[in-house]
Amino acid sequence: MSFKTASPLLVKLLMVAALVASASLAQAKSVPGDGATPVVELMPLTMKYEVDLKLTSEQISALDAYRKEAAPGRIAIQKKIIALRGQLRMAILDNAPTAQREALMKDIADAEVAHFKGRERCVEFMRKALSAEQFAQLKDLYLTGLR
């Protein structure tokens, strides 16, 4: 298939993927992590380093309440992404109609964006729940773990 015969949506998706890949390569030396690493994942570290971060009982309670509220949605979206990727994998292998494959690609992209936004909300919560010093320490712990 050439770009002349590809559908406009597929061409756009390929262009976005190429831009993301090139941006990722350009930043690879300055930003730790890889494609398999969640964009940001602070909650597990916050729990692991609770003592080192000197969390107050109020902070611990707030973090626990946030986890209990956010976890079901996060888990559901992650399961959705895995299921959609599996469907796309088989659609590609089975040569399903282009429209079906493109619809799955769009659904995956939408689900990934929803997942990114959930991670972003978690970081914003952490920024508010922790002191500036605690957040800086947590950020350092996170980035060190990615290297």
Side-chain angles (χ1 to χ4, degrees):
M1 177 188 311
S2 70
F3 278 112
K4 290 179 184 176
T5 61
S7 74
L9 176 61
L10 183 58
V11 171
K12 287 177 187 175
L13 286 170
L14 290 171
M15 290 172 61
V16 169
L19 286 172
V20 168
S22 64
S24 295
L25 290 174
Q27 291 182 345
K29 293 181 181 169
S30 64
V31 178
D34 62 31
T37 304
V39 173
V40 177
E41 188 175 40
L42 299 180
M43 193 61 77
L45 280 179
T46 308
M47 294 163 48
K48 181 177 180 180
Y49 291 103
E50 186 178 295
V51 173
D52 295 336
L53 291 168
K54 298 181 178 126
L55 298 178
T56 66
S57 59
E58 292 81 15
Q59 288 172 317
I60 293 167
S61 294
L63 292 168
D64 186 52
Y66 185 87
R67 267 194 318 276
K68 287 178 181 171
E69 178 186 323
R74 180 185 51 76
I75 291 167
I77 197 78
Q78 287 173 311
K79 286 181 179 180
K80 180 178 182 178
I81 291 167
I82 291 167
L84 287 168
R85 284 176 173 258
Q87 291 172 33
L88 177 60
R89 182 177 302 111
M90 293 312 300
I92 291 169
L93 291 171
D94 293 340
N95 198 26
T98 301
Q100 181 183 345
R101 293 188 311 245
E102 289 178 356
L104 285 165
M105 289 177 200
K106 183 183 180 317
D107 290 346
I108 292 167
D110 291 346
E112 290 281 5
V113 169
H115 188 225
F116 295 150
K117 287 181 178 183
R119 296 282 184 182
E120 184 178 42
R121 282 189 300 274
C122 183
V123 171
E124 289 307 312
F125 170 79
M126 293 288 198
R127 237 184 263 287
K128 292 174 185 171
L130 304 179
S131 69
E133 296 80 16
Q134 288 170 319
F135 187 82
Q137 184 181 358
L138 180 62
K139 179 181 167 183
D140 287 342
L141 288 166
Y142 179 71
L143 292 173
T144 298
L146 292 178
R147 290 187 174 94

